[in-house]
Amino acid sequence: MEWRDEGIILGTRKHGETSAILEVMTRAHGRHLGLVRGGRSRKQQPVLQPGNRVDLLWRARLDEHLGTFQAEAIEMNAARLMDSAVAVYGLQTMAAHLRLLPERDAHGGLYETFGVMIAHLDDADAAGELVARFELLILEELGFGLDLSQCAATGSRDDLAYVSPKSGRAVSREAGTPWRDKMLALPAFLHRGSGLRADPAAIEDAFRLTGFFFVRHVYEPRAIEAPGARAGFLASLRKHYASRKSAAVEAATGERAV
């Protein structure tokens, strides 16, 4: 058995004295594992880092076997991402979400989106929006997608402000106001084609929304916990926003003093 594909590295683990088990998200073969002989060598280690895009050759005697990988670098992203705590935790969070999908199931669109996310993940101002949207995509791929296109009560596509925790469908501000204490907030930047940017409060609302449905439909039924990287990602985002706010205050104070 043999195939060649392109993939993005999710992680590695040691195997024996010199080899490594490589986990990748591939374009045509889904999330896939394979043995890289000599994967712990000085030559291979820089290539086999999470976030790097690689050209892969997989071989095995039978399709159900682990098989072996030969990996050559296409795009070295790891060094750039390692400079940002937001990027590192963001990558780890997305990798954890991809592990929720069945191994070797193809998700070509998700692979392309994952690549776009990695290209911009070191922009902390954009990372929160990107990962929140990625979580919505994962829920959809798992069969628990949210319907944020129109109001569940009126059919209106305007002023959608809430999401019903029961149905996972959007609700307009007018229709949802009487039950707003029981609703989940729908940040405006998540509306398809809105073009809006998210402030820190909207980011918190977005992850509260996706987190609720991950717990209900994924974590609790599978008896697993939310990935620790997700909490780390949110904490690093909050630190980034606090630092940016502090810098803005200092700049404004300095201008007044002058």
Side-chain angles (χ1 to χ4, degrees):
M1 305 298 299
E2 179 178 309
W3 52 255
R4 183 179 291 277
D5 200 357
E6 179 183 300
I8 298 173
I9 295 176
L10 303 180
T12 60
R13 65 176 184 267
K14 296 178 181 178
H15 183 82
E17 293 295 323
T18 61
S19 298
I21 302 294
L22 180 66
E23 182 183 26
V24 292
M25 184 64 185
T26 67
R27 186 191 299 277
H29 296 84
R31 184 173 61 86
H32 211 290
L33 281 76
L35 176 70
V36 179
R37 302 190 190 282
R40 295 170 61 190
S41 68
R42 289 186 178 182
K43 180 181 178 181
Q44 285 285 294
Q45 280 187 343
V47 175
L48 305 183
Q49 295 298 314
N52 285 346
R53 191 188 300 266
V54 291
D55 179 68
L56 296 161
L57 177 63
W58 180 81
R59 289 192 179 102
R61 190 170 65 85
L62 296 174
D63 185 61
E64 61 267 25
H65 288 178
L66 173 66
T68 61
F69 273 139
Q70 291 180 17
E72 295 183 5
I74 297 175
E75 193 173 81
M76 301 286 276
N77 298 306
R80 169 176 58 83
L81 298 176
M82 287 294 289
D83 288 337
S84 165
V86 170
V88 170
Y89 280 120
L91 177 59
Q92 291 175 351
T93 300
M94 291 192 289
H97 290 331
L98 289 170
R99 293 184 182 108
L100 297 170
L101 300 169
E103 189 180 344
R104 303 190 180 190
D105 272 13
H107 296 271
L110 193 58
Y111 171 81
E112 297 297 340
T113 301
F114 187 38
V116 172
M117 300 289 178
I118 288 175
H120 298 90
L121 203 56
D122 53 340
D123 178 359
D125 289 328
E129 300 174 28
L130 293 174
V131 176
R133 291 193 177 98
F134 191 78
E135 291 197 339
L136 288 175
L137 287 174
I138 290 291
L139 285 169
E140 186 172 338
E141 293 289 331
L142 290 170
F144 307 113
L146 307 185
D147 182 357
L148 308 181
S149 61
Q150 62 184 36
C151 176
T154 66
S156 171
R157 297 179 181 273
D158 299 325
D159 199 23
L160 303 177
Y162 307 105
V163 175
S164 166
K166 291 184 178 181
S167 67
R169 298 182 64 189
V171 179
S172 68
R173 192 178 309 279
E174 182 179 359
T177 294
W179 298 278
R180 62 180 177 273
D181 292 340
K182 297 181 180 180
M183 294 283 187
L184 295 161
L186 173 58
F189 80 92
L190 289 181
H191 297 161
R192 188 180 297 275
S194 70
L196 298 174
R197 298 303 302 269
D199 59 19
I203 292 295
E204 295 287 346
D205 285 341
F207 282 96
R208 192 175 298 113
L209 172 66
T210 54
F212 176 87
F213 289 101
F214 267 110
V215 170
R216 168 180 284 185
H217 294 305
V218 184
Y219 300 145
E220 287 185 350
R222 299 189 187 190
I224 59 177
E225 298 289 332
R230 189 177 190 269
F233 177 68
L234 292 175
S236 61
L237 272 182
R238 293 180 189 120
K239 185 176 180 180
H240 164 73
Y241 288 132
S243 175
R244 191 178 65 177
K245 182 178 180 180
S246 176
V249 170
E250 289 180 5
T253 302
E255 287 177 4
R256 286 197 296 269
V258 172

